Amino acid sequence: MYHVSNFEIYFFYLQKTVDKTTTWKSIPENTTLVTAYLDIGTFSKGYPHRRRSKTFYFQSAKAFKYILNALIVYTNSDLFRNYMLEIRRDLLSVTKVLLIDSMSIPSFQYRKQIQEIFQLHSYPKFYPHTSNPMYSCVTHAKFDFLLNATEENTFKSKYFMWLDVGYFSSKVPLKMFHLSKPPSFNETKIAASQIVSNLTQALELDPNTIFKKKKSIAAAGLLFGERSRVMYFSKLYQRGFRYFLSQNLTNSDQQVIYAIYCDKGNRILKPKVELQYYRAPGVPYYHFLGTKLMKISLLS
């Protein structure tokens, strides 16, 4: 059993005077959102000269001001903790912000091993996915957080959703909304956006190629599932991450997920929960599922 104390968490949970949470309580099949921001400094994104700083994440996080769902936030930044409490001031009774020591997160215990793989002369360089071990650890940590959040289940939710803090970076909504259960959702699966055109053909790719060519099959910025399935999926991810790391293969969370569900990974890891893919008509779209699940509130 994984305990909150392992994260060295301080729980900031405040009561509020202005309340919009009656809408949260009336949402059918309510869903708790889980997100995180870990400050690892400014890093290269895409190319060595293209830099991403904390400003991007603070600006993107403005979207959470408008989301009526219950929200659990993990961060190692006092500034970000205070910022989230401020923008969620009308929704504090369904907001939990946890201040953590990033080096106590399980995924960060593999930082040195990840770094050694990245330093191999033959290992391809993608910025920051295979150049910055701290960034890699951040992407794997989301499953530590998801497991912790589902085990605690602070808001007694049936469903849980991982939502990257930068998910709505391209367009911050300016109306109150909630994120609902996907249409025709299979309760035994985990929902994700499909980002390949030919799923059958994509699953034939081997893990070595997936990791070393930074291939993805599903967008990991938004993942949705029933609580017990999300708990299992988080543990499956951790098991897959450690297995591929033992094979000197690592990258970001999307490559781990792909490698687990490709034909070869499936035979090795035997996942007991499947992905339910949602794909935009025409060209696959990373944010398709998130836009499909947005329901504008009458509070807007």
Side-chain angles (χ1 to χ4, degrees):
M1 185 73 173
Y2 186 67
H3 299 289
V4 177
S5 58
N6 290 354
F7 281 134
E8 299 173 13
I9 288 175
Y10 298 93
F11 181 12
F12 293 87
Y13 182 59
L14 307 178
Q15 294 299 317
K16 61 189 178 53
T17 54
V18 180
D19 195 332
K20 291 181 179 176
T21 58
T22 51
T23 299
W24 148 254
K25 293 172 184 176
S26 69
I27 296 172
E29 300 170 328
N30 61 69
T31 301
T32 289
L33 308 189
V34 184
T35 195
Y37 167 68
L38 299 178
D39 187 357
I40 58 171
T42 300
F43 55 87
S44 297
K45 181 71 172 176
Y47 301 95
H49 63 274
R50 184 182 294 171
R51 308 290 282 170
R52 176 168 287 181
S53 70
K54 67 178 68 178
T55 302
F56 169 83
Y57 296 100
F58 276 72
Q59 289 177 344
S60 301
K62 290 179 183 178
F64 289 94
K65 175 179 180 179
Y66 303 98
I67 302 178
L68 289 163
N69 296 73
L71 176 68
I72 299 174
V73 183
Y74 296 85
T75 184
N76 64 350
S77 165
D78 284 300
L79 284 175
F80 192 78
R81 178 204 70 194
N82 295 336
Y83 178 69
M84 292 301 290
L85 290 172
E86 172 59 26
I87 66 172
R88 294 280 294 181
R89 62 184 180 273
D90 292 342
L91 292 160
L92 284 173
S93 68
V94 288
T95 300
K96 181 178 179 179
V97 184
L98 303 169
L99 186 64
I100 60 177
D101 173 4
S102 57
M103 297 312 297
S104 70
I105 302 167
S107 293
F108 276 73
Q109 307 310 306
Y110 298 93
R111 180 175 61 87
K112 184 178 179 181
Q113 191 173 349
I114 291 171
Q115 184 174 16
E116 289 171 351
I117 293 173
F118 289 173
Q119 289 174 341
L120 293 173
H121 180 72
S122 61
Y123 213 80
K125 291 293 179 286
F126 298 99
Y127 296 88
H129 300 73
T130 60
S131 67
N132 188 328
M134 293 292 281
Y135 177 87
S136 183
C137 289
V138 167
T139 68
H140 306 309
K142 69 172 62 175
F143 299 94
D144 298 325
F145 299 145
L146 267 176
L147 181 57
N148 180 247
T150 50
E151 287 178 341
E152 291 296 305
N153 198 12
T154 301
F155 301 108
K156 309 305 179 190
S157 293
K158 181 178 181 180
Y159 300 102
F160 278 77
M161 179 188 298
W162 174 267
L163 189 69
D164 276 358
V165 74
Y167 192 85
F168 291 107
S169 60
S170 60
K171 184 179 180 181
V172 176
L174 297 177
K175 294 183 177 182
M176 302 302 295
F177 68 97
H178 72 270
L179 294 165
S180 62
K181 183 173 76 169
S184 305
F185 178 64
N186 183 328
E187 301 277 327
T188 68
K189 297 185 178 183
I190 299 294
S193 291
Q194 179 180 323
I195 51 177
V196 293
S197 298
N198 189 323
L199 186 61
T200 302
Q201 183 178 347
L203 290 173
E204 295 173 356
L205 211 60
D206 65 280
N208 189 70
T209 303
I210 290 167
F211 282 100
K212 292 187 176 180
K213 292 193 174 182
K214 198 172 78 70
K215 297 294 185 178
S216 300
I217 196 170
L222 188 158
L223 300 164
F224 177 94
E226 185 273 330
R227 177 181 170 238
S228 66
R229 297 289 83 195
V230 173
M231 290 174 70
Y232 174 84
F233 181 69
S234 300
K235 294 175 183 177
L236 169 67
Y237 180 93
Q238 292 171 333
R239 182 161 58 90
F241 161 66
R242 291 192 298 268
Y243 170 76
F244 292 115
L245 199 60
S246 74
Q247 305 300 302
N248 280 344
L249 293 173
T250 192
N251 202 304
S252 77
D253 54 334
Q254 292 192 169
Q255 285 69 55
V256 175
I257 291 172
Y258 190 172
I260 289 171
Y261 287 100
C262 73
D263 293 341
K264 185 174 181 179
N266 197 301
R267 289 193 297 270
I268 294 168
L269 294 163
K270 297 178 173 55
K272 294 180 181 178
V273 62
E274 297 297 327
L275 296 180
Q276 182 168 353
Y277 299 96
Y278 288 83
R279 183 185 166 213
V283 178
Y285 175 45
Y286 187 95
H287 296 95
F288 173 67
L289 188 55
T291 56
K292 192 173 184 65
L293 302 188
M294 289 179 64
K295 305 295 182 185
I296 302 300
S297 168
L298 296 176
L299 288 175
S300 300

